[in-house]
Amino acid sequence: MWCGRRGDKVSSLCLVWLVLHESLFSSSEKMEDCLAKKMEITVSEAEKRTGRNAMNIQETYTAYLIETRAVESQIEGQCAPVESLWRRYSEFELLRNYLSVTYPHIVVPPLPEKRADFVWHKLSADNMDPDFVERRRIGLENFLLRVASHPVLCQDKIFYAFLMQEGGWKEMVNETGFQLKADSRLKALNATFRVKNPDKRFTELKHYSDELQSVISHLLRVRARVADRLYGVYKVHGNYGRVFSEWSAIEKEMGDGLQSAGHHMDVYAASIDDILEEEEHYADQLKEYLFYAEALRAVCRKHELMQYDLEMAAQDLTSKKQQCEELATGTVRTFSLKGMTSKLFGQETPEQREAKIKVLEEQIREGEEQLKSKNLEGRDFVKSAWADIERFKEQKNHDLKEALISYAVMQISMCKKGIQVWTNAKECFSKM
Amino acid sequence: MSGGAASAPKPLPSSGPKSLREMPHPLATSSSEEMGPALTPSPDLLLPRSIADKDLSLPNGTPVDTSSPASSSSLLNRLQLDDDLDVETRDLFVTVDDPKKHVCTMETYITYRVTTKTTRAEFDLPEYSVRRRYQDFDWLRNKLEESQPTHLIPPLPEKFVVKGVVDRFSEEFVETRRKALDKFLKRITDHPVLSFNEHFNVFLTAKDLNAYKKQGMALLSKMGESVKYVTGGYKLRSRPLEFAAIGDYLDTFSLKLGTIDRIAQRIIKEQLEYLVELREYGPVYSTWGGLEVELSEPLEGVSACIGNCCTALEELSEDMTEDFLPVLREYILYAESMKNVLKKRDQVQAEYEAKLEAVALKREDRPKVPTDVEKCQDRVECFNADLKADMERWQNNKRQDFRQLLMGMADKNIQYYEKCLTAWESIIPLLQDKPETK
C-alpha cells in the first residue's frame, strides 16, 4: 500500500503542488462555483491488482484510490466524512475522452503519460515501478483538480459520478453515446488539409501548439541526458571515499583527515539521488504542458472541422442553387453529365423538371437553415473556445513561471549542498 | 675539483649549518624532530607569492563577495601553508617564470627565466637571472642523482608528452610545466645538502651552461671512487626493517596515487560529457522563449543561467587538468625515484656485507678490519643517515603538498558551486517579476 500524501519528500512536493493549487484558484474566472472549492479531492493511494480483462486473460494493473470530502462542513469544526472509491487508469482515460468529445471547445486537461517516457538510465520504464506509480498518482490527482477547478467542466455530471459513484459509472458514460459524437481522425485530417478560411487565430494557435510540443519534447529529452551525466559525475566521486580510506591506513598524521574527507565524498556521491528525484517533478510539470499542447491542437482541429463543414455546406448550397437556376431557366452554364445525357437521350418533360426544381428548392431551404445554424454554431464555438484559450494561456504562463522558479530553487539547493560538502571536505583536508 | 658531495658539509641528520631550515613545519605533530623554538607565522606573510611556494590552488584574485566561509578563509590558508615562515632565515630564493618561445633553424623550444636571490657566500653575486630550457633541468637532475646518490632528488615533469596530440607550445602546457620546474628548483633550494651542490650553483649562475656541461663530462672521468657508488651486482639478503617499511609505504603510496589519478581523470571526463549535454540544454530554453510572449524573459534568463554554469564547469575541469593531475603524477614519479634510491642503498649495504664476510672467511691473523671494508661501512652508515633524514623531510613536504593540493581541489569545487549559485539566485527575481500589463 502506498502512502502518497505522507511521503518523505513532502516538503519539496508540497512546494510544487501547493503552488499549483494556488494557480488553479488565481484565474480571473468566477471560481466560486467550482467543485474544487467545495470539495477536497485527492488521489491518496495506489494499489496493485490482478483481475481478468474483457478477453478473460489475467492481467495486473494499478488501482488508484480517490478520496473526496465536502469542504463546507469543515468550517463548523466538524469533519465531514471522507468518501472514496477505486479507479484504474483506463477509467480516467474514458472520462477524459468523454470530456474531450462533449466539450470540444474546452482545452481539456491532459492525463499523465500512459507509459514512462523521456527516462534516463536510472529511471525505470516499467509501468509497475513504484516511483512511476507514485508520480502517476500525483499526476492523476492533478488531473482531477484541474477538471474540478474548470468553470465548465466541473459541472459535468459524469465527472461528478466519476468521483462519487463507483458502480455502474462506465455504463453511465457509454449511455451518453458520446462515442458517436466523436469525430473520426480521418475526417479531421481531411478537414485540416482542405479548409479554406479558418479563423487566423486558430491557425496561429495550431502553429504555436506544434512548436510548443516540439520544444518541450526536445527539452525533456536533453534534460534526461543531462540528468544521466550529472549522475555519473557525482557517483564517480564516491570512489574517492574508498581510496582515501585505503590511503589513510598507511599514513600517520594525514590519516584522519583523509579518512573523514573520504566520508564526505561518499555523502556527495549519495546526494545526487534525491536531487534527481526532485527534478523528476519538474519534468512532470513540463510534461503536463507537453500534453496540454495536444489538447490545444484538438480544439483547433475541431474548429477546422466545423469550418470545413460550413464551407462544404455553403458550397453544396451554392451548387444546388445553381442547378435550380439552370433547370428553371433551361440554360446549362456548367457542364454536367446529366445535362449531356439528357441532350443525348432527350430532354425531360416539364413535369419532371418541375418536380426536380421543387426538390431542389426544398433542399435549398433546408440547406439555408442548416447553413445558418452551422454559422451560428461556428461563431459560438469560436467565441467560447477562444475564451477558454485565454483562460488557458493565463494558467499556462502562471504555472510555467512557477515551475521555472521551483527549478531554480532546486538548482540553488543543489549548489548549496555542494558548497557544504566540499567545505566539510576542505576542513578535513586542512587537518591532514 | 671533485663532485658536489665532497664540497658540501657531510649530511648527518642532527647537525649541519642550516638547522633552522631543517625545522619541521610548526603545524606538524611532534613526531618529527624539532630543532628549536617553533616559529609562529609572521604577519607580513601576505607577500607576493613569487617567493614562497606559488602552487596550484589558491583563489586567484577573484573578489570575495560571496558569503561562503570557504573563500574568506583562503587568506588564512596562505598563512598556514607557507613552508618557511620567517623569511629572514632563508638565504636563497629561486623562481622560474617568463616562458619564451625560441624558433631556430633546427628546432623550436621554450626557455624559462630562472631568477636567484641569495646572500650565501657560495655565490659571487646576490642576484642572478639566467634562461634555461627543459634539457638543462634534466641535465641538472641527472647530475644531482650522480653526485648525491644518497639523497632523494625531486622529480621533473614528464619529458615527453604521452597523451596523443597535446600541444607542447600551448599556454596551458607551458604554464603547467613552468609550475613544475619552479617546484623542482624550490625543493632543491629547501634541501640543506642539495642546495649547496656545485652543479646546482652553476645551473643558477652560469651564462653559458653548455660550456660547463661539456667540461663536466671530462670531469666525470676524473671523479674518484668516493662519488661513484658501486652497483657491482651484490645481492642484499634482507632489507633492514625500517627501509623495508619505507619501501612498502612507497609501493602502496604509488598505488593509491595511481588510483586517485584515474578517478580524477574519470571525473574530468564525466564532467566534460555533462558539459556537452548542458551546452545543448541551455539554448532550448532560449528557443522556447522565442515562442512565448510573457514567458520569454524568464526562459531567456534560465538559458543564460545554464550558460553561466557551463562556463563555470569548464573552468573547474581546466583547473583540475592543469593543477591537480600534474602534481599527482609528479609524486608518483617521486616515489619511483625514491624506490631506486632505496635499491642503491641496498646495493651499498650488500657490498659491505659481502666484503665483511669475505674478510671473516679469510681469517687473518690480526682481526684488523681493512680500510676497504671500513670505507664500505662508512658508506652504508652515511647512506642510511642521509636517506632517513631525507625521508623525514619528504614526509613533511608531502603532507604539506597534499594538504594544499586537496584543499585546492575542494576550493575549486566550492568556487564552481558558488558561481552557479550566484547565477541561479540572480534569476529568481527575474522569474518572479510580474508583468506591468494586466
Side-chain angles (χ1 to χ4, degrees):
Chain A
M1 291 286 265
W2 283 94
C3 261
R5 262 274 144 98
R6 300 163 286 286
D8 310 325
K9 318 293 181 312
V10 160
S11 52
S12 55
L13 227 53
C14 267
L15 171 70
V16 168
W17 295 110
L18 280 175
V19 153
L20 173 65
H21 293 191
E22 228 181 80
S23 84
L24 295 176
F25 300 134
S26 72
S27 169
S28 54
E29 296 273 356
K30 197 169 60 161
M31 301 301 286
E32 296 84 50
D33 297 337
C34 273
L35 197 59
K37 280 246 168 172
K38 297 188 201 143
M39 178 192 282
E40 246 177 53
I41 305 170
T42 60
V43 176
S44 53
E45 286 173 28
E47 201 177 79
K48 238 196 249 191
R49 299 265 178 90
T50 44
R52 290 198 173 273
N53 67 5
M55 287 173 281
N56 212 28
I57 296 168
Q58 185 150 64
E59 56 169 6
T60 318
Y61 63 91
T62 312
Y64 299 88
L65 184 67
I66 302 175
E67 288 182 332
T68 50
R69 173 172 36 204
V71 168
E72 276 157 30
S73 18
Q74 282 186 10
I75 302 169
E76 289 150 21
Q78 289 175 345
C79 243
V82 172
E83 314 242 7
S84 64
L85 45 71
W86 293 89
R87 294 258 184 243
R88 53 184 293 191
Y89 189 84
S90 56
E91 292 176 278
F92 279 86
E93 275 185 312
L94 184 60
L95 172 65
R96 189 176 187 275
N97 285 342
Y98 161 79
L99 290 172
S100 302
V101 171
T102 314
Y103 304 92
H105 60 291
I106 301 287
V107 183
V108 178
L111 284 171
E113 54 192 352
K114 183 152 199 166
R115 263 163 284 278
D117 206 353
F118 304 110
V119 289
W120 54 284
H121 88 278
K122 265 293 168 177
L123 275 195
S124 173
D126 174 22
N127 281 5
M128 292 312 227
D129 181 82
D131 285 331
F132 178 76
V133 168
E134 173 61 11
R135 294 203 339 271
R136 189 189 250 191
R137 182 195 64 74
I138 296 167
L140 291 175
E141 183 177 289
N142 180 51
F143 167 75
L144 291 179
L145 288 170
R146 288 236 192 250
V147 176
S149 43
H150 191 283
V152 173
L153 298 177
C154 72
Q155 300 181 34
D156 186 277
K157 294 199 170 52
I158 298 286
F159 173 60
Y160 189 78
F162 181 86
L163 296 174
M164 307 302 284
Q165 179 188 321
E166 184 146 28
W169 178 79
K170 264 209 192 128
E171 290 73 14
M172 194 176 163
V173 184
N174 290 330
E175 268 165 31
T176 62
F178 80 94
Q179 274 109 340
L180 301 167
K181 282 194 245 161
D183 300 312
S184 82
R185 272 302 218 187
L186 204 56
K187 231 174 98 182
L189 201 62
N190 185 44
T192 302
F193 281 124
R194 298 217 176 151
V195 69
K196 295 206 181 80
N197 256 339
D199 186 313
K200 268 209 182 67
R201 293 177 297 174
F202 283 93
T203 315
E204 275 169 27
L205 186 67
K206 190 175 72 163
H207 205 62
Y208 167 77
S209 56
D210 282 342
E211 307 253 294
L212 187 69
Q213 242 178 344
S214 163
V215 85
I216 296 184
S217 308
H218 189 192
L219 194 64
L220 286 168
R221 268 197 311 276
V222 184
R223 192 213 70 89
R225 294 204 302 262
V226 166
D228 219 358
R229 292 298 181 193
L230 188 62
Y231 184 81
V233 171
Y234 270 74
K235 286 302 178 191
V236 179
H237 279 84
N239 294 335
Y240 273 146
R242 203 178 324 124
V243 73
F244 282 169
S245 183
E246 292 166 2
W247 183 10
S248 72
I250 59 168
E251 295 291 342
K252 285 184 244 131
E253 295 105 7
M254 280 168 62
D256 286 339
L258 273 177
Q259 178 89 345
S260 43
H263 161 72
H264 289 297
M265 290 294 97
D266 287 333
V267 168
Y268 181 72
S271 69
I272 192 66
D273 295 306
D274 283 351
I275 289 169
L276 288 178
E277 200 183 305
E278 241 190 284
E279 258 195 39
E280 280 313 310
H281 297 293
Y282 169 69
D284 284 340
Q285 286 174 288
L286 293 182
K287 273 183 214 170
E288 194 194 10
Y289 277 91
L290 174 68
F291 303 143
Y292 252 129
E294 184 53 45
L296 272 180
R297 280 291 263 106
V299 175
C300 295
R301 264 201 301 273
K302 184 66 184 177
H303 165 74
E304 282 169 346
L305 207 63
M306 288 178 80
Q307 180 65 18
Y308 178 69
D309 220 20
L310 185 65
E311 285 171 6
M312 287 291 100
Q315 201 176 33
D316 192 51
L317 189 63
T318 311
S319 90
K320 283 208 162 77
K321 279 187 178 162
Q322 219 170 32
Q323 275 180 46
C324 204
E325 199 194 312
E326 283 167 17
L327 282 177
T329 59
T331 55
V332 183
R333 251 181 294 161
T334 54
F335 173 83
S336 78
L337 199 58
K338 256 216 177 102
M340 283 317 294
T341 51
S342 65
K343 272 230 151 85
L344 288 171
F345 298 112
Q347 298 223 339
E348 307 161 305
T349 63
E351 292 81 25
Q352 280 175 318
R353 211 186 302 152
E354 240 357 275
K356 270 201 188 133
I357 289 171
K358 269 238 158 48
V359 169
L360 275 173
E361 278 177 349
E362 187 54 41
Q363 283 180 337
I364 287 167
R365 258 195 303 277
E366 272 173 30
E368 275 175 343
E369 286 298 319
Q370 264 192 15
L371 194 64
K372 222 190 260 177
S373 76
K374 277 203 161 102
N375 239 317
L376 212 65
E377 252 178 60
R379 270 202 279 269
D380 274 343
F381 178 89
V382 166
K383 190 161 146 224
S384 51
W386 207 256
D388 197 54
I389 286 162
E390 291 296 337
R391 179 206 62 81
F392 168 77
K393 277 189 190 164
E394 211 181 303
Q395 172 199 298
K396 175 206 77 172
N397 287 336
H398 181 275
D399 288 351
L400 288 175
K401 234 189 224 181
E402 294 297 326
L404 290 175
I405 290 172
S406 76
Y407 185 66
V409 167
M410 280 180 227
Q411 301 304 307
I412 287 168
S413 160
M414 180 171 88
C415 291
K416 285 190 173 156
K417 277 191 206 152
I419 291 171
Q420 186 61 64
V421 167
W422 282 105
T423 306
N424 291 342
K426 183 176 171 184
E427 200 173 309
C428 295
F429 290 138
S430 74
K431 298 198 180 118
M432 271 177 21
Chain B
M1 190 171 164
S2 55
S7 62
K10 206 127 201 262
L12 294 175
S14 26
S15 66
K18 294 293 175 275
S19 58
L20 279 180
R21 307 273 293 350
E22 281 184 297
M23 187 179 314
H25 193 281
L27 295 181
T29 60
S30 53
S31 61
S32 45
E33 288 180 85
E34 277 181 46
M35 306 265 100
L39 297 175
T40 49
S42 112
D44 40 300
L45 259 153
L46 306 178
L47 284 172
R49 297 279 288 170
S50 57
I51 292 181
D53 274 5
K54 191 208 220 144
D55 251 287
L56 346 132
S57 55
L58 300 169
N60 29 24
T62 46
V64 184
D65 53 5
T66 55
S67 55
S68 159
S71 16
S72 52
S73 72
S74 64
L75 273 176
L76 195 59
N77 292 349
R78 279 187 235 215
L79 293 174
Q80 289 174 340
L81 297 179
D82 269 338
D83 198 8
D84 275 326
L85 318 150
D86 241 8
V87 176
E88 294 92 69
T89 61
R90 295 242 240 119
D91 57 0
L92 177 66
F93 300 92
V94 178
T95 317
V96 178
D97 62 7
D98 190 35
K100 272 198 169 54
K101 191 152 126 182
H102 299 257
V103 184
C104 306
T105 42
M106 292 303 286
E107 54 175 349
T108 304
Y109 60 90
I110 308 265
T111 63
Y112 304 85
R113 180 177 64 184
V114 178
T115 315
T116 309
K117 290 191 171 74
T118 180
T119 54
R120 286 191 186 177
E122 291 79 7
F123 293 82
D124 295 333
L125 299 173
E127 270 190 53
Y128 291 90
S129 180
V130 295
R131 295 212 73 98
R132 300 283 180 248
R133 55 186 289 192
Y134 183 90
Q135 342 177 302
D136 300 332
F137 286 83
D138 198 32
W139 168 88
L140 173 63
R141 190 175 192 281
N142 289 333
K143 278 303 199 234
L144 287 173
E145 265 195 327
E146 259 173 41
S147 55
Q148 316 273 190
T150 62
H151 287 285
L152 303 174
I153 316 294
L156 274 180
E158 280 154 349
K159 194 173 210 165
F160 303 109
V161 176
V162 195
K163 303 265 181 188
V165 237
V166 177
D167 180 11
R168 279 188 305 139
F169 303 110
S170 77
E171 246 181 72
E172 294 85 25
F173 179 79
V174 171
E175 175 57 16
T176 303
R177 200 173 240 206
R178 183 203 65 75
K179 282 192 200 138
L181 294 175
D182 184 80
K183 195 85 210 269
F184 170 72
L185 289 185
K186 285 190 161 72
R187 279 172 171 149
I188 299 173
T189 308
D190 289 350
H191 196 286
V193 175
L194 295 179
S195 63
F196 285 92
N197 184 284
E198 191 199 355
H199 302 294
F200 183 52
N201 187 306
V202 173
F203 176 89
L204 292 177
T205 61
K207 281 284 173 223
D208 183 2
L209 190 62
N210 287 326
Y212 179 78
K213 284 189 199 176
K214 291 193 185 115
Q215 189 189 23
M217 295 303 281
L219 282 173
L220 196 63
S221 54
K222 289 189 198 159
M223 271 197 270
E225 202 194 58
S226 57
V227 180
K228 283 175 88 184
Y229 280 76
V230 186
T231 50
Y234 294 98
K235 192 89 199 290
L236 184 69
R237 238 164 281 143
S238 70
R239 206 181 241 184
L241 265 170
E242 65 181 317
F243 293 108
I246 292 175
D248 289 340
Y249 170 82
L250 289 175
D251 283 335
T252 312
F253 179 72
S254 309
L255 259 170
K256 295 309 147 194
L257 284 196
T259 307
I260 294 175
D261 181 76
R262 277 192 300 280
I263 295 171
Q265 277 187 64
R266 175 95 186 272
I267 289 175
I268 291 170
K269 175 170 168 279
E270 297 279 344
Q271 278 173 343
L272 290 176
E273 287 175 348
Y274 171 55
L275 189 61
V276 166
E277 303 298 349
L278 270 189
R279 285 233 157 92
E280 191 181 328
Y281 185 52
V284 181
Y285 280 100
S286 203
T287 307
W288 188 0
L291 270 186
E292 301 284 340
V293 174
E294 201 180 307
L295 291 176
S296 158
E297 256 183 54
L299 288 167
E300 281 295 341
V302 171
S303 177
C305 203
I306 295 172
N308 287 338
C309 293
C310 285
T311 310
L313 184 60
E314 208 175 14
E315 283 164 16
L316 175 64
S317 297
E318 263 171 32
D319 283 346
M320 290 299 283
T321 309
E322 282 160 28
D323 295 337
F324 186 77
L325 292 179
V327 176
L328 275 183
R329 293 189 186 138
E330 227 171 71
Y331 260 93
I332 295 174
L333 291 171
Y334 217 157
E336 282 312 304
S337 79
M338 286 159 74
K339 283 194 262 188
N340 286 335
V341 176
L342 272 177
K343 286 190 195 136
K344 275 191 235 160
R345 191 217 69 87
D346 288 347
Q347 286 295 308
V348 171
Q349 183 176 338
E351 189 193 349
Y352 166 64
E353 285 176 358
K355 290 201 169 139
L356 195 62
E357 234 181 74
V359 167
L361 287 173
K362 276 193 191 147
R363 284 188 174 281
E364 281 186 355
D365 305 323
R366 290 218 298 190
K368 183 195 76 166
V369 180
T371 32
D372 189 33
V373 179
E374 234 170 55
K375 271 199 196 148
C376 274
Q377 189 182 24
D378 268 346
R379 247 185 255 145
V380 174
E381 282 172 4
C382 284
F383 209 133
N384 288 352
D386 285 350
L387 198 51
K388 281 212 297 233
D390 271 14
M391 263 317 290
E392 213 169 287
R393 186 175 302 107
W394 182 87
Q395 284 284 9
N396 277 329
N397 289 336
K398 171 211 78 184
R399 190 176 161 199
Q400 293 278 44
D401 287 344
F402 275 97
R403 188 199 287 152
Q404 197 173 30
L405 181 72
L406 292 169
M407 285 178 77
M409 170 173 94
D411 248 337
K412 289 190 183 86
N413 277 280
I414 291 168
Q415 281 165 45
Y416 159 71
Y417 278 112
E418 281 179 345
K419 285 178 204 160
C420 292
L421 180 66
T422 308
W424 285 105
E425 279 181 336
S426 69
I427 66 153
I428 294 273
L430 175 72
L431 294 175
Q432 288 174 331
D433 208 24
K434 299 267 176 236
E436 272 115 39
T437 57
K438 257 186 164 109

